[in-house]
Amino acid sequence: MRHLLSTKDMSRDDAITLLDIAEDMADVADREVKKLPTLRGKTVVNLFFEDSTRTRISFEAAAKRLSADVINFSAKGSSVSKGESLKDTAQTLAAMGADAVVIRHPASGAPHVLAESGWIDAGIINAGDGMHEHPTQALLDAFTIRRRLHQGGARGKGLDGVTVTIVGDILHSRVARSNVWLLTTLGAHVTFVAPPTLLPMDLTGWPAEVGFDLDAAIDSGPDVVMMLRIQLERMNAAFFPNSREYSRRWGLDDERFARLAPTSIVMHPGPMNRGLEISSAAADSAGSTVREQVANGVSVRMAALYLLLSGDREDS
Amino acid sequence: MARTVLNQADITRALTRISHEILESNRGADNLVILGIPTRGVVLAQRIAETIRRIEPAATGVRVGSLDVTMYRDDLAHTRTRTPSRTHVPGSIEGATVVLVDDVLYSGRTIRAALDALGDHGRPTVVRLAVLVDRGHRELPIRADFVGKNLPSSTDERINLHLLEVDGDEFVSIDGGDGPAHVGAENEDAS
Amino acid sequence: MSSERAASTRYLIRGATLPDGTGTDLVLADGRITELGSGLSSAGASVIDAAGLIALPGLVDLHTHLREPGFEQSETILTGSRAAAIGGFTSVFAMANTSPVQDTAGVVEQVLALGERAGYVTVQPIGAVTVGLAGERLAELGAMAASRARVRVFSDDGFCVSDPLLMRRALEYVKAFDGVVAQHAQEPRLTEKAQMNEGALSGELGLTGWPAVAEESIIARDVLLAEHVGSRLHVCHVSTAGSVDVIRWAKARGINVTAEATPHHLLLTEDLVVGYDARFKVNPPLRRREDVEALRAGLADGTIDIVATDHAPHPVESKDCEWDAAANGMVGLESALSVVHAAVVAGGQLDWSDIARVLSATPARIGRVNGQGQGLVVGAPAELTLYDPSASRVFDREDLAGKGVNSPYLTMTLPGRVHATFHRGYATVLDGMLRPIAEIAAHGENDRG
């Protein structure tokens, strides 16, 4: 694997291979020594143009468990306007001998530009770009669903026939985008539920059904309900009137949660707005995978780093 | 032309002998953990464990598992990306006698990786190595304790080792060294 | 005038094909076309073999960004004039978004003078509609009109005159000197942070959409305003099928509106954005295939009056970055004729007479520029270009003559090539090569002297 930029172009076999390797990586956490020597001598740079402590430390833990050296480069504030361009930053990292760059950037497509530019030869992992994609989040979500459904027997399996309802700000969500491609590739059926203002204007070509009514979606008995974080500043741009109305119509409150089947899985990429898009009862329930998602994130990112940094470069 | 050097019966006899030797050197089956190195080493380890249980029905303590070494290899950057296999270490190996089992011993690098991997699971009292075929050409100071057959070979020869559970048939053969060179096509790394 | 000098300005163009398909020789002398016909005498003339070449009237670009004064790292009037000449242009209208903005007589006269000094093309300044393009107060439109630059086209291009009252007043005011307001139709609130055409692809790529309605609603408002006050309106870079419909409706109603389409909107579609290559970032953005088809049909039926390049050079660093941070715009002068050839001539929607109309006669008339767009007739100023329609080339950086290399066509195969360009009777391009700067400047000097 040369880069990990999006889930859209990922094949089912490649996705399952990555998830299977993540299973092996998860086993490492149960061992006496929770570390592998695999990436000794490799340098992984976490290049974050946006604050995201959660994602950064997850990648950092993953790289360190594989014995890579980790450099954290917080480029926030050194944007183009302040004089340091993506190009200059990339060339700096190349000069420092980075083998892999994990990039978080507010501009959609920035990881793609970095990978295609020739500025740097390192493998690029997209850790979230604008409103475009967040592939490792989708992979950890898929991993989490697969583990919940199959426990120890998850290896080699897809998500065939699993119904997933993604609720909230689809328009601005890179998590929703990466998930719709990956989950569908793995055989799941995805439904978006959101206010019309928070859906992309034209969903032609997206493998998802669309609804505006969360109650109907709940009553259809989905296997997985994934709640997205709602940014309160969206109110000011007239996407919805206020948080009370949003919560009432599109929040997973106690009453809706109670109507879900006991086997339903409740997911949230975090950080949560408790009481807004998800109630505490739902977030803390046995069906909630919120904490597993965090643990699984490290395993999935280890698998991604392994696939990116092992093997002949010319080969991929 | 491939020349068969061991047939299925030869292989069974060799594994039976190895099982006896293991019991003898360990003075029984107590605290014995047999770990196969994927893919074919795992099959061989299971057969050895079964044989031991058959020889000494009282030896219920023998444990068998698998130890994948992919993440510990020293050539990850030089070959195609390898997909790791499952590691399953049955219980604690602290204070145990661990017998590592592989199909073909060649450069010794796989065993080096296996020793590193094993160390991350705990500290056994003794580690032994059993292989079905030793073809020589060691690149590291490693030797096997239990050997099914020594097969001195040249580096441009290729050893084919098939097992029923993996390949559907069972034999060990050598491909001649006058054909296309199989540089680096060592069986121990082909899993 | 010495005989040597006379010889250098007299040309016999032998065996050219006129836009209507007839063959002819042309003689250029003393800055004019002096003879047309077959078997013309070569006495005292430089002979140009034009067999297989189409003679087009010198192209006129109503929409060029020359960047000077203020953004000379992107383009200068000299380098932009050279890019124009190699593209077959003999006149360009220089947009007002310079620094300082072309919103006073002083600045437009400076631009005019720099164009004259360069000498490759007639540089006709456009005046800003509002002071500093700020959209708040009218600029000194009358002073610019009365200046030596004789400004007739006014535009805040880059920004929309979105305030309806200000737009109304501008439309009314320019009637006093037969001016026209060229509107950059973009409703600002509907396009905040917009990055590409709004549609299925923008959603997938996670880029903020630039909806077609933001252009169409402004055009609809403006044609109604133009009708109400009885003024002339020109719509810049029309990019959507809906806009074509609105303009078609307005023209049927008798509203005095003209419209332009750019070469890139006639050829390229939004699918090119997929790789986030900022060379394809432009405002208005590349649209859908249906929009491209509608623009071509509109150009063919006269709804769209002209093609204008919106040549927008940028320094490398403005494009060598992530999509959101990249500047909008593409260079277009050097490639315009080939792109129009590929977009609408190759498919038979327009013929070369139509090209002469949409790239020379009509833009000259809309912009009221002297000495341009008069066609290939005896007595007309010697403004023409010789185009080889049978050539084909992989367009590359060597084909760019301006400072900007932000061309979307690099590595694409384009038809045709400009063989020669004549401005005021002297060659600015010969054998596909620009004539030297000093030679052209001397011609310009002589003309004025």
Side-chain angles (χ1 to χ4, degrees), chain A residues 136-159:
Chain A
T136 58
Q137 176 71 43
L139 285 160
L140 79 87
D141 290 340
F143 182 85
T144 303
I145 297 169
R146 201 177 73 152
R147 272 207 146 181
R148 274 279 174 127
L149 295 177
H150 301 293
Q151 283 92 33
R155 280 185 175 76
K157 293 204 171 73
L159 297 174

Side-chain angles (χ1 to χ4, degrees), chain C residues 99-441:
Chain C
S99 179
V101 170
Q102 290 164 216
D103 58 3
T104 62
V107 181
V108 293
E109 286 188 353
Q110 183 198 4
V111 169
L112 179 76
L114 287 167
E116 288 169 345
R117 191 179 303 163
Y120 281 91
V121 292
T122 297
V123 173
Q124 174 59 52
I126 289 172
V129 176
T130 65
V131 175
L133 309 175
E136 289 165 359
R137 291 180 292 127
L138 285 185
E140 291 175 9
L141 309 182
M144 289 188 278
S147 74
R148 199 170 76 78
R150 293 187 60 261
V151 175
R152 292 295 178 270
V153 181
F154 298 89
S155 181
D156 275 2
D157 182 66
F159 301 95
C160 182
V161 182
S162 61
D163 178 336
L165 182 62
L166 202 56
M167 185 63 183
R168 173 198 167 139
R169 296 288 183 241
L171 285 167
E172 287 177 303
Y173 194 76
V174 298
K175 283 200 284 187
F177 31 85
D178 193 25
V180 64
V181 177
Q183 174 70 295
H184 172 119
Q186 175 180 6
E187 210 299 311
R189 283 281 281 159
L190 286 174
T191 52
E192 280 173 13
K193 298 180 183 163
Q195 297 293 329
M196 72 170 291
N197 180 49
E198 182 168 85
L201 190 59
S202 64
E204 181 190 319
L205 296 178
L207 293 172
T208 304
W210 198 129
V213 64
E215 173 174 306
E216 293 152 4
S217 59
I218 290 291
I219 296 175
R221 181 201 74 178
D222 286 354
V223 295
L224 292 170
L225 281 174
E227 177 180 46
H228 183 62
V229 299
S231 293
R232 211 153 60 92
L233 169 71
H234 178 73
V235 185
C236 297
H237 41 55
V238 171
S239 69
T240 78
S243 296
V244 176
D245 286 340
V246 172
I247 294 163
R248 191 177 283 125
W249 172 86
K251 286 190 166 183
R253 220 171 135 91
I255 297 170
N256 196 355
V257 57
T258 55
E260 75 191 30
T262 69
H264 48 270
H265 287 114
L266 288 167
L267 186 70
L268 309 177
T269 61
E270 62 173 355
D271 308 308
L272 291 163
V273 180
V274 167
Y276 298 98
D277 181 342
R279 284 185 302 128
F280 300 109
K281 183 172 178 181
V282 65
N283 189 23
L286 300 179
R287 304 285 189 186
R288 305 162 305 159
R289 172 57 51 190
E290 303 91 291
D291 296 302
V292 169
E293 297 297 343
L295 291 177
R296 290 176 179 182
L299 190 64
D301 72 14
T303 302
I304 307 278
D305 300 86
I306 66 168
V307 172
T309 68
D310 197 5
H311 177 80
H314 287 291
V316 170
E317 61 270 21
S318 297
K319 289 290 189 178
D320 222 1
C321 56
E322 63 274 22
W323 184 273
D324 284 18
N328 280 305
M330 304 168 163
V331 294
L333 285 167
E334 300 98 325
S335 51
L337 192 49
S338 287
V339 172
V340 172
H341 182 176
V344 290
V345 180
Q349 281 162 299
L350 269 69
D351 61 23
W352 293 109
S353 297
D354 296 323
I355 296 304
R357 172 171 51 81
V358 301
L359 268 163
S360 180
T362 308
R365 179 170 51 74
I366 293 170
R368 306 287 195 255
V369 62
N370 285 335
Q372 294 289 331
Q374 295 178 24
L376 301 176
V377 293
V378 172
E383 306 282 343
L384 69 148
T385 188
L386 298 175
Y387 181 69
D388 178 1
S390 63
S392 174
R393 56 180 162 166
V394 175
F395 199 80
D396 66 24
R397 284 172 79 141
E398 297 297 304
D399 293 307
L400 297 172
K403 281 193 176 181
V405 295
N406 51 308
S407 167
Y409 309 109
L410 298 176
T411 75
M412 286 188 198
T413 300
L414 293 179
R417 176 185 282 279
V418 170
H419 181 79
T421 306
F422 298 89
H423 173 53
R424 296 172 190 257
Y426 54 84
T428 54
V429 174
L430 272 183
D431 294 324
M433 306 282 286
L434 281 162
R435 300 304 300 166
I437 290 169
E439 175 185 312
I440 298 301

Side-chain angles (χ1 to χ4, degrees), chain A residues 207-276:
Chain A
E209 288 181 48
V210 178
F212 307 134
D213 184 346
L214 181 56
D215 288 308
I218 296 277
D219 291 338
S220 73
D223 299 314
V224 179
V225 178
M226 184 183 295
M227 305 305 297
L228 300 175
R229 178 179 171 81
I230 190 78
Q231 310 273 353
L232 284 174
E233 60 263 29
R234 304 287 177 220
M235 274 190 299
N236 305 324
F239 286 105
F240 56 92
N242 57 40
S243 57
R244 202 157 16 94
E245 171 152 328
Y246 181 88
S247 179
R248 202 180 307 127
R249 294 188 66 103
W250 288 286
L252 185 61
D253 56 19
D254 291 350
E255 188 273 325
R256 288 190 178 107
F257 173 65
R259 278 173 21 227
L260 281 173
T263 52
S264 290
I265 299 169
V266 175
M267 308 186 80
H268 193 297
M272 294 181 282
N273 294 304
R274 285 172 184 262
L276 179 45

Side-chain angles (χ1 to χ4, degrees), chain C residues 54-75:
Chain C
I54 295 173
L56 291 168
L59 307 184
V60 177
D61 187 16
L62 196 63
H63 193 149
T64 305
H65 295 276
L66 290 180
R67 304 297 190 210
E68 188 178 3
F71 303 103
E72 289 83 357
Q73 74 278 20
S74 298
E75 193 82 284

